[in-house]
Amino acid sequence: MKIFIIEDNEDLNQFMTETFVKIGYEVVSCCDGKEAFDLVNESYDLYLVDINLPNLNGLELVKKIKKLKSDAKVFIISGDDNIDTILEAYNLGINDYIKKPFDLREIIAKINIVFEHITKNQIKLKDDCYYISKDRVIKHKNKLINLTKKEAVLLDILVKNIGNMVSTKEIELAVWGENFANGHTRQLVSKLKKVLPCSEIIQNHSSNGYGIII
């Protein structure tokens, strides 16, 4: 998971960054609202945004983020407990409003809740490229790529055997069942690779089968 922290308190920013990195998150951080806006076009799973930022107010920043990515996940972290500010933030479509001072474990718990449906089923294939097994779709840079039924079955069996070869016969049985036609596997692999952003991870094993190498 990649998190973008926008917090102008340098000590708090550093503490959050170091903690999230320790538990396995990828983190980008900055202390300036305008500087943050220049970076929002990159791919992030979650934005943690303070309100009182220099050069660009946090709520204005959230408006811009949501305009660019309407489905962006955003937590506000702020000492402002004015109900009008809180309601304005929620009206912008944020996922949570966390009041300062806070225990970082609270944020981690809320992250786990918001992303539970993804983290349980999401398998990283390569940077910014994930396979969501439950829905059998590819997530690439926050965009979802739908697969046909046969493409999904093929990718599913390859993902379940990451690092190992899956024989052509095993693939044919999984995709077509007993009544399969020889030669169709190569065509299906070719179709899958055309829609898969990280297609190079699928490798042919001496014409005996295919495998995913990460």
Side-chain angles (χ1 to χ4, degrees), residues 5 7 9-19 29:
I5 299 173
E7 165 61 60
N9 182 313
E10 294 185 7
D11 290 337
L12 178 57
N13 192 318
Q14 183 177 355
F15 173 67
M16 288 195 294
T17 298
E18 290 176 352
T19 302
S29 68

Side-chain angles (χ1 to χ4, degrees), residues 157 164-173 185 208-210:
I157 192 172
N164 298 304
M165 183 196 79
V166 181
S167 71
T168 301
K169 185 174 182 179
E170 287 179 87
I171 293 172
E172 290 172 340
L173 286 170
T185 300
N208 294 320
Y210 299 86

Side-chain angles (χ1 to χ4, degrees), residues 115-122 133:
F115 290 94
E116 181 180 18
H117 67 292
I118 294 178
T119 55
K120 282 187 176 180
N121 301 288
Q122 184 168 282
S133 58

